[in-house]
Amino acid sequence: MGDLHEGHRSLLRKSKLENDLTVLSIFVNPLQFGPQEDFRKYPRDKKKDEMLAKKEKVDIIFHPSEKEMYPASYLTYVENPALSQSLCGEFRPGHFKGVTTVVSKLLNIVTPDVLYLGQKDLQQAVVIQKMVADLNVPVKVKICPTVREKNGLALSSRNTYLTPQQKQEAAILYQSLQQARKLIQNGEHNPKVIVHTIKKMMQTTHISSIDYIECVQAADLTSLNVLKGNVAIALAVWFGRTRLIDNIFVSVK
Amino acid sequence: MGDLHEGHRSLLRKSKLENDLTVLSIFVNPLQFGPQEDFRKYPRDKKKDEMLAKKEKVDIIFHPSEKEMYPASYLTYVENPALSQSLCGEFRPGHFKGVTTVVSKLLNIVTPDVLYLGQKDLQQAVVIQKMVADLNVPVKVKICPTVREKNGLALSSRNTYLTPQQKQEAAILYQSLQQARKLIQNGEHNPKVIVHTIKKMMQTTHISSIDYIECVQAADLTSLNVLKGNVAIALAVWFGRTRLIDNIFVSVK
């Protein structure tokens, strides 16, 4: 969706290393924003994006207009209802339907061999992986590590909405996830204890509200009663009017 | 869906003429059958199909299993709700969602340059054309003329369900459509008169019931108050427990 930061740039670098040709799509997709969400104010800076893309030696920028992507007669949707209702899906109805639809279109237009996605948007990555597998889309999906600020805050275009104080306090997201990892590594396998610990840490800040804090199976985002296997701890919280998400993977024996 | 007849064979011949390689998919798609429909008894004859495919010099038959196409974990759907609720969609809820989903998969697996479809399944053809356009699927869709018995009955795998008498009487579908064409060409532009005329002709037979008889815009299947432009006259009726569909295009100045 543009407004490129170091997270996007890490994907571009990986693609440049592994492929002959790298295509960057930039499209703020109206279909994945709810009516009360930040579609209008979502940061757009074409010139900055083009400059950064050039620095990363991107071969092609695909930057379609809204009208090209969704002409007035547009009628077709791709969706994965089962994976789109938990976590962020509960708070952003229609969001993942917008994501799977636009990514289907982008994949059909660009026909890449490899699709690079960031782990920060974990549910998005899992929903797209599942769509690609289910619909036999001929592309390999690679999920790449989240890039973070020095204080641990996951890079996101939405971080520009934060005040300096909020930005500082938002470090708690990653700190609490790291604390959760430690607890699990020390033998805590009860997700309720993990969630409770993270919540307590959140409440030491001026956080406005919590959408969710959950321990799920990394592969299919299903809930866990006992932590086992490849676990993802994922959360979404609000600082003022800014919604932030983060997640980590923990492998539990 | 296999059970190849002259209609399918006409598509294979056209593909052989126009392409280097012809792939025939044979898959009775459970997703497009309703719970009360004929999925179990739908005619399947692999040996006959293979023999006919060989006669038409088909290069590849793609004949996947149900489990390959829809493993237990299957979750993703492609749909076009707006085009899927009129005509057959009203009587077969979920049918076109099953069609667009399986055709998305088949197109991603086979990656053909051209997809050949029969006009007999008009709504299916229009829904697939729209899906291909909306999702930017890199394939050209060609809709080929309906092949008919000598008495005008459109070829269909479901014709094998008909008794000899029903088969004879079912000629009324095409006869009434031809009569409608004549009326329009003689200046009748009121769809109600056309529908009434077809209905009257249907009622001279042992027809069991009528799902619909409609005049619509050929391109997007929307209803028409006055016949103008590229019109499709489409109908679905029952002879005993067999549902038959047919349609014609009429160009109205």
Side-chain angles (χ1 to χ4, degrees):
Chain A
M1 298 214 299
D3 193 42
L4 301 183
H5 52 61
E6 276 298 318
H8 303 109
R9 293 179 73 175
S10 74
L11 304 180
L12 295 173
R13 273 177 225 135
K14 197 160 165 59
S15 172
K16 283 297 293 183
L17 259 178
E18 298 181 348
N19 302 277
D20 294 326
L21 201 112
T22 291
V23 182
L24 165 67
S25 70
I26 299 185
F27 180 61
V28 184
N29 176 32
L31 214 58
Q32 72 189 66
F33 287 80
Q36 306 304 322
E37 291 184 3
D38 57 345
F39 176 64
R40 289 290 151 216
K41 73 165 182 173
Y42 195 88
R44 292 162 174 88
D45 190 341
K46 200 177 164 183
K47 276 201 178 154
K48 192 192 81 180
D49 286 348
E50 280 172 353
M51 201 252 310
L52 291 177
K54 204 172 171 182
K55 270 196 187 165
E56 298 302 346
K57 301 188 172 58
V58 164
D59 299 283
I60 297 170
I61 301 179
F62 179 59
H63 194 309
S65 71
E66 222 177 290
K67 217 174 146 186
E68 275 179 289
M69 290 293 271
Y70 304 114
S73 62
Y74 193 87
L75 291 173
T76 305
Y77 301 91
V78 180
E79 60 177 330
N80 190 322
L83 282 181
S84 303
Q85 280 155 12
S86 62
L87 304 176
C88 287
E90 191 185 334
F91 300 90
R92 305 187 70 187
H95 170 67
F96 290 108
K97 184 175 168 178
V99 168
T100 41
T101 299
V102 80
V103 172
S104 289
K105 286 172 66 69
L106 292 170
L107 291 174
N108 282 329
I109 293 166
V110 178
T111 62
D113 298 300
V114 190
L115 170 66
Y116 294 87
L117 298 170
Q119 187 195 319
K120 197 216 61 183
D121 298 290
L122 174 66
Q123 192 172 9
Q124 168 174 288
V126 171
V127 169
I128 291 172
Q129 265 187 324
K130 186 65 179 147
M131 174 196 81
V132 162
D134 280 353
L135 295 183
N136 312 94
V137 184
V139 68
K140 182 168 183 168
V141 180
K142 291 198 179 181
I143 300 179
C144 306
T146 302
V147 178
R148 300 176 180 281
E149 303 265 10
K150 269 190 193 145
N151 72 0
L153 177 62
L155 294 193
S156 163
S157 300
R158 291 190 170 98
N159 291 353
T160 58
Y161 304 153
L162 297 170
T163 66
Q165 197 207 330
Q166 286 174 334
K167 205 164 170 181
Q168 212 174 350
E169 288 200 350
I172 197 72
L173 274 73
Y174 190 53
Q175 283 163 14
S176 65
L177 289 171
Q178 290 299 89
Q179 181 60 25
R181 184 197 299 280
K182 262 187 213 154
L183 283 178
I184 295 171
Q185 283 167 346
N186 289 336
E188 182 57 67
H189 289 183
N190 183 345
K192 282 182 188 163
V193 173
I194 301 300
V195 169
H196 182 75
T197 304
I198 296 174
K199 208 174 206 168
K200 281 279 157 205
M201 286 181 72
M202 292 286 169
Q203 283 160 353
T204 64
T205 68
H206 294 87
I207 196 173
S208 312
S209 70
I210 294 172
D211 274 359
Y212 64 84
I213 302 167
E214 281 195 53
C215 302
V216 295
Q217 273 196 350
D220 61 7
L221 309 179
T222 49
S223 287
L224 289 168
N225 293 321
V226 175
L227 302 183
K228 203 174 158 59
N230 293 315
V231 173
I233 313 176
L235 50 82
V237 302
W238 291 79
F239 276 85
R241 298 175 68 180
T242 306
R243 188 176 186 272
L244 299 175
I245 59 174
D246 203 349
N247 72 85
I248 58 167
F249 293 141
V250 186
S251 174
V252 186
K253 277 167 207 160
Chain B
M1 299 214 297
D3 195 42
L4 302 183
H5 52 61
E6 275 299 317
H8 302 110
R9 292 178 75 176
S10 74
L11 304 180
L12 295 173
R13 273 177 226 137
K14 197 159 164 60
S15 172
K16 283 299 290 183
L17 259 178
E18 298 182 347
N19 301 278
D20 294 326
L21 202 112
T22 291
V23 182
L24 164 67
S25 71
I26 300 184
F27 180 61
V28 184
N29 176 31
L31 214 59
Q32 71 189 67
F33 287 80
Q36 306 304 323
E37 291 183 4
D38 55 345
F39 176 64
R40 290 289 151 217
K41 74 164 180 171
Y42 195 87
R44 292 162 174 88
D45 190 341
K46 201 177 164 185
K47 277 202 177 154
K48 191 192 81 178
D49 286 347
E50 281 171 352
M51 201 252 310
L52 291 178
K54 204 172 173 184
K55 270 195 188 167
E56 299 301 346
K57 300 189 174 56
V58 164
D59 298 283
I60 296 170
I61 300 178
F62 179 58
H63 194 310
S65 71
E66 223 177 289
K67 218 174 146 185
E68 275 179 288
M69 290 293 271
Y70 304 116
S73 62
Y74 193 88
L75 292 173
T76 305
Y77 300 92
V78 180
E79 60 177 331
N80 190 322
L83 283 181
S84 303
Q85 280 155 13
S86 62
L87 304 176
C88 287
E90 191 185 335
F91 300 91
R92 305 187 69 187
H95 170 68
F96 290 109
K97 183 174 170 180
V99 168
T100 41
T101 300
V102 80
V103 173
S104 289
K105 286 172 65 70
L106 292 170
L107 290 174
N108 282 330
I109 294 165
V110 177
T111 64
D113 298 299
V114 191
L115 170 65
Y116 294 87
L117 298 170
Q119 188 196 318
K120 199 219 47 179
D121 297 291
L122 174 65
Q123 191 171 9
Q124 168 174 288
V126 170
V127 169
I128 291 172
Q129 265 188 324
K130 185 66 178 146
M131 173 196 81
V132 162
D134 280 353
L135 295 182
N136 312 93
V137 183
V139 69
K140 182 167 182 171
V141 180
K142 292 198 180 180
I143 300 179
C144 306
T146 303
V147 178
R148 300 177 180 281
E149 303 265 9
K150 270 190 192 148
N151 72 1
L153 177 63
L155 293 193
S156 164
S157 299
R158 291 191 171 98
N159 292 352
T160 57
Y161 303 154
L162 297 170
T163 65
Q165 198 207 331
Q166 287 173 333
K167 205 165 171 181
Q168 212 175 349
E169 288 201 350
I172 198 72
L173 274 73
Y174 190 53
Q175 283 164 14
S176 65
L177 289 171
Q178 290 298 89
Q179 180 60 26
R181 184 198 299 279
K182 263 190 212 154
L183 283 177
I184 295 170
Q185 284 168 345
N186 290 335
E188 182 57 66
H189 290 184
N190 183 345
K192 282 182 188 162
V193 173
I194 301 300
V195 169
H196 182 74
T197 303
I198 296 174
K199 207 174 208 168
K200 280 282 158 203
M201 285 181 71
M202 291 288 171
Q203 284 161 352
T204 64
T205 68
H206 292 88
I207 197 173
S208 312
S209 69
I210 295 173
D211 274 359
Y212 64 84
I213 302 167
E214 281 194 53
C215 301
V216 295
Q217 275 197 348
D220 61 7
L221 309 179
T222 50
S223 287
L224 289 168
N225 292 321
V226 176
L227 302 183
K228 204 175 156 61
N230 292 316
V231 173
I233 313 176
L235 51 83
V237 301
W238 291 80
F239 276 85
R241 297 175 70 179
T242 305
R243 188 176 185 273
L244 298 176
I245 60 175
D246 203 349
N247 71 85
I248 58 167
F249 293 141
V250 186
S251 174
V252 186
K253 278 167 204 158

